[in-house]
Amino acid sequence: MTTPRIALFPGSFDPVTRGHVEIVERGIQLFDKIIVALGENSAKKYMFSLEERRRMLELSFAGEERIEVAVYNTLTVDFARTQGARFLLRGLRDGRDLAYERPIAIVNKYLNEEIETVYLVAESSYSDISSTLVREVIKYGRDPEGLLPDAALEVVRQKFQDS
Ligand code: ADP
């Protein structure tokens, strides 16, 4: 039996967007399993709590047998190793993403040369959606329908229904 090809899709997912989902849906055609890895950085301020972000991811990928959700607070390559993942999956929206990603990929390679970073170019109508943009929409009291997977939208609506 060959070793399963497992990829980690790391991110903050604050919140998960349709752009993220699209990358995972395309990625699962390349890998046997994708672990959507929610990075928790205690120095970072988030709009959604860890539990809310995890719940939104779980709802978005419910019923997808080969897609898992996990939380980590270590170096991404170290977490990948504990999960048996040899690939890191990332999405590239534009030149800014590339400039941001390049040094990270180089350092990750230095930290663990067995782990390969794989990029998928965002090319759909969702490619302009960022979590930052979604947070802005929410902050100003608008419903972000269409920007997030419908399943995740419920978590947002519940959180802000009284405000
Ligand atoms: P991080 O804080 O690590 O950048 P994000 O949750 O913002 O985490 O993004 C996780 C990954 O998803 C990154 O590779 C990012 O480039 C990618 N991504 C974010 N939004 C989109 C989108 N609309 N289309 C494609 N890829 C995206």
Side-chain angles (χ1 to χ4, degrees), residues 36-40 50-51 54 69-73 79:
V36 182
L38 182 49
E40 177 66 350
L50 180 63
E51 271 322 306
R54 186 219 294 259
V69 176
V71 173
Y72 75 105
N73 60 5
F79 183 62

Short mmCIF file of all heavy atoms in Angstrom, two decimals, residues 36-40 50-51 54 69-73 79:
data_model
loop_
_atom_site.label_atom_id
_atom_site.label_comp_id
_atom_site.label_asym_id
_atom_site.label_seq_id
_atom_site.Cartn_x
_atom_site.Cartn_y
_atom_site.Cartn_z
N VAL A 36 -7.78 20.67 7.52
CA VAL A 36 -7.89 22.12 7.61
C VAL A 36 -7.42 22.48 9.01
O VAL A 36 -8.05 22.09 10.01
CB VAL A 36 -9.35 22.58 7.36
CG1 VAL A 36 -9.44 24.09 7.41
CG2 VAL A 36 -9.86 22.05 6.03
N ALA A 37 -6.28 23.15 9.09
CA ALA A 37 -5.62 23.33 10.38
C ALA A 37 -5.76 24.77 10.85
O ALA A 37 -5.20 25.71 10.27
CB ALA A 37 -4.15 22.94 10.26
N LEU A 38 -6.51 24.91 11.89
CA LEU A 38 -6.83 26.21 12.47
C LEU A 38 -5.71 26.60 13.43
O LEU A 38 -5.53 25.99 14.49
CB LEU A 38 -8.17 26.05 13.20
CG LEU A 38 -8.83 27.20 13.89
CD1 LEU A 38 -8.90 28.41 12.98
CD2 LEU A 38 -10.22 26.77 14.29
N GLY A 39 -4.95 27.61 13.02
CA GLY A 39 -3.82 28.04 13.85
C GLY A 39 -4.29 28.99 14.93
O GLY A 39 -5.02 29.93 14.66
N GLU A 40 -3.89 28.72 16.15
CA GLU A 40 -4.28 29.59 17.27
C GLU A 40 -3.03 30.29 17.78
O GLU A 40 -2.11 29.67 18.28
CB GLU A 40 -4.94 28.74 18.37
CG GLU A 40 -5.34 29.51 19.60
CD GLU A 40 -6.46 30.54 19.37
OE1 GLU A 40 -6.83 30.81 18.22
OE2 GLU A 40 -6.94 31.09 20.37
N LEU A 50 -11.92 30.76 19.12
CA LEU A 50 -11.41 29.51 18.57
C LEU A 50 -12.56 28.52 18.33
O LEU A 50 -12.64 27.89 17.27
CB LEU A 50 -10.39 28.91 19.54
CG LEU A 50 -9.75 27.60 19.12
CD1 LEU A 50 -8.94 27.78 17.85
CD2 LEU A 50 -8.86 27.07 20.24
N GLU A 51 -13.46 28.43 19.30
CA GLU A 51 -14.58 27.50 19.18
C GLU A 51 -15.50 27.88 18.02
O GLU A 51 -15.98 27.02 17.29
CB GLU A 51 -15.38 27.43 20.50
CG GLU A 51 -14.86 26.38 21.45
CD GLU A 51 -14.40 25.08 20.75
OE1 GLU A 51 -15.20 24.49 19.99
OE2 GLU A 51 -13.25 24.66 20.94
N ARG A 54 -13.71 27.07 14.76
CA ARG A 54 -13.70 25.62 14.55
C ARG A 54 -15.08 25.11 14.09
O ARG A 54 -15.21 24.33 13.17
CB ARG A 54 -13.28 24.91 15.85
CG ARG A 54 -13.09 23.40 15.66
CD ARG A 54 -13.60 22.63 16.84
NE ARG A 54 -12.83 22.87 18.05
CZ ARG A 54 -11.91 22.06 18.53
NH1 ARG A 54 -11.63 20.95 17.91
NH2 ARG A 54 -11.29 22.34 19.65
N VAL A 69 -10.93 18.75 10.31
CA VAL A 69 -10.60 20.05 10.90
C VAL A 69 -9.81 19.80 12.17
O VAL A 69 -10.17 18.92 12.96
CB VAL A 69 -11.90 20.84 11.22
CG1 VAL A 69 -11.57 22.15 11.92
CG2 VAL A 69 -12.71 21.10 9.95
N ALA A 70 -8.72 20.52 12.35
CA ALA A 70 -7.92 20.36 13.57
C ALA A 70 -7.41 21.72 14.02
O ALA A 70 -7.32 22.66 13.22
CB ALA A 70 -6.74 19.43 13.28
N VAL A 71 -7.10 21.81 15.30
CA VAL A 71 -6.58 23.06 15.86
C VAL A 71 -5.13 22.83 16.28
O VAL A 71 -4.80 21.75 16.77
CB VAL A 71 -7.42 23.47 17.09
CG1 VAL A 71 -6.81 24.67 17.80
CG2 VAL A 71 -8.86 23.78 16.68
N TYR A 72 -4.27 23.82 16.07
CA TYR A 72 -2.87 23.65 16.51
C TYR A 72 -2.31 24.99 16.98
O TYR A 72 -2.79 26.05 16.60
CB TYR A 72 -2.02 23.06 15.39
CG TYR A 72 -1.67 24.02 14.28
CD1 TYR A 72 -0.40 24.56 14.16
CD2 TYR A 72 -2.63 24.39 13.34
CE1 TYR A 72 -0.08 25.44 13.13
CE2 TYR A 72 -2.32 25.27 12.32
CZ TYR A 72 -1.05 25.79 12.23
OH TYR A 72 -0.75 26.67 11.22
N ASN A 73 -1.29 24.90 17.84
CA ASN A 73 -0.66 26.14 18.30
C ASN A 73 0.86 26.00 18.32
O ASN A 73 1.54 26.59 19.15
CB ASN A 73 -1.21 26.57 19.66
CG ASN A 73 -0.98 25.51 20.72
OD1 ASN A 73 -0.32 24.51 20.45
ND2 ASN A 73 -1.50 25.72 21.91
N PHE A 79 3.36 20.58 13.32
CA PHE A 79 2.02 20.00 13.39
C PHE A 79 1.79 19.07 12.20
O PHE A 79 1.24 17.97 12.35
CB PHE A 79 0.95 21.10 13.43
CG PHE A 79 -0.44 20.55 13.59
CD1 PHE A 79 -0.78 19.82 14.73
CD2 PHE A 79 -1.40 20.72 12.62
CE1 PHE A 79 -2.05 19.28 14.88
CE2 PHE A 79 -2.67 20.19 12.75
CZ PHE A 79 -2.99 19.46 13.89
#
